[in-house]
Amino acid sequence: MSRGAIKETTKLRYEKMKRKQILPNDCMKVLIVAKRHFIAALQEATEGKLSEAKVPLLNGYLEGVIALKHCQRRGVVMNLLVDEWLDRQSTVFNQKTYSVISVKEHKTAATQLAMFALDEEEEAWLKVYYERIRPDLALMQASDDQYFSCQQLGRSFTIRLTT
């Protein structure tokens, strides 16, 4: 890319940033309001009493945590692989434990690795999803088994919850 094109792109990004946009606090409001419903559904899943109607709530909330709280693009959320979840690294910062997850395939993968750090509570939520909910989601395409999330953009799935 030429120097002039880079300057023009930077100028456009700066102008866009100056306009009124949705701020992280606005995004967090969505998660705060939905959290009690999510926790109730997660508790049902833990007890083996989850209804099919609540699966989209669980998927949506977990994906929202990664996208909204951790400021990740939708492609990062949708392309998170099971292997990347299993390869998460634990780290301690300010006496708190975090799990760092790296996602290789996403929109800006050519220039950067997507990484985010889940706190212990968020990791526990994803662990319940992975161990208790995800196995009961039967994907239409077997090749999608590699993806952590079963709610892929443009990909259909069926639910067969065992009781």
Side-chain angles (χ1 to χ4, degrees), residues 9-123:
T9 301
T10 303
K11 180 181 173 186
L12 290 172
R13 286 181 183 161
Y14 178 77
E15 292 300 322
K16 184 178 178 182
M17 183 191 73
K18 284 188 353 185
R19 287 185 238 135
K20 176 78 174 134
Q21 293 186 22
I22 296 173
L23 300 173
N25 286 342
D26 298 324
C27 296
M28 290 303 295
K29 287 178 188 173
V30 172
L31 295 176
I32 290 167
V33 169
K35 186 173 181 178
R36 69 182 175 93
H37 302 290
F38 168 75
I39 296 296
L42 196 67
Q43 184 63 39
E44 289 178 24
T46 304
E47 296 168 357
K49 301 175 184 176
L50 183 66
S51 69
E52 288 185 24
K54 293 189 180 172
V55 172
L57 167 67
L58 291 170
N59 279 331
Y61 191 86
L62 292 172
E63 291 172 3
V65 166
I66 297 169
L68 301 175
K69 183 177 178 188
H70 296 285
C71 302
Q72 297 297 316
R73 293 176 177 263
R74 178 130 172 102
V76 172
V77 176
M78 302 302 359
N79 290 320
L80 173 61
L81 301 177
V82 169
D83 288 343
E84 292 164 341
W85 162 253
L86 295 174
D87 290 341
R88 66 193 183 278
Q89 300 294 310
S90 183
T91 188
V92 177
F93 179 73
N94 284 343
Q95 300 170 344
K96 289 186 178 182
T97 303
Y98 296 90
S99 290
V100 179
I101 299 176
S102 302
V103 179
K104 292 175 257 186
E105 294 298 323
H106 55 92
K107 185 175 180 179
T108 59
T111 58
Q112 59 188 333
L113 180 66
M115 297 175 72
F116 54 95
L118 301 172
D119 63 29
E120 290 175 307
E121 181 181 44
E122 294 162 349
E123 182 188 22

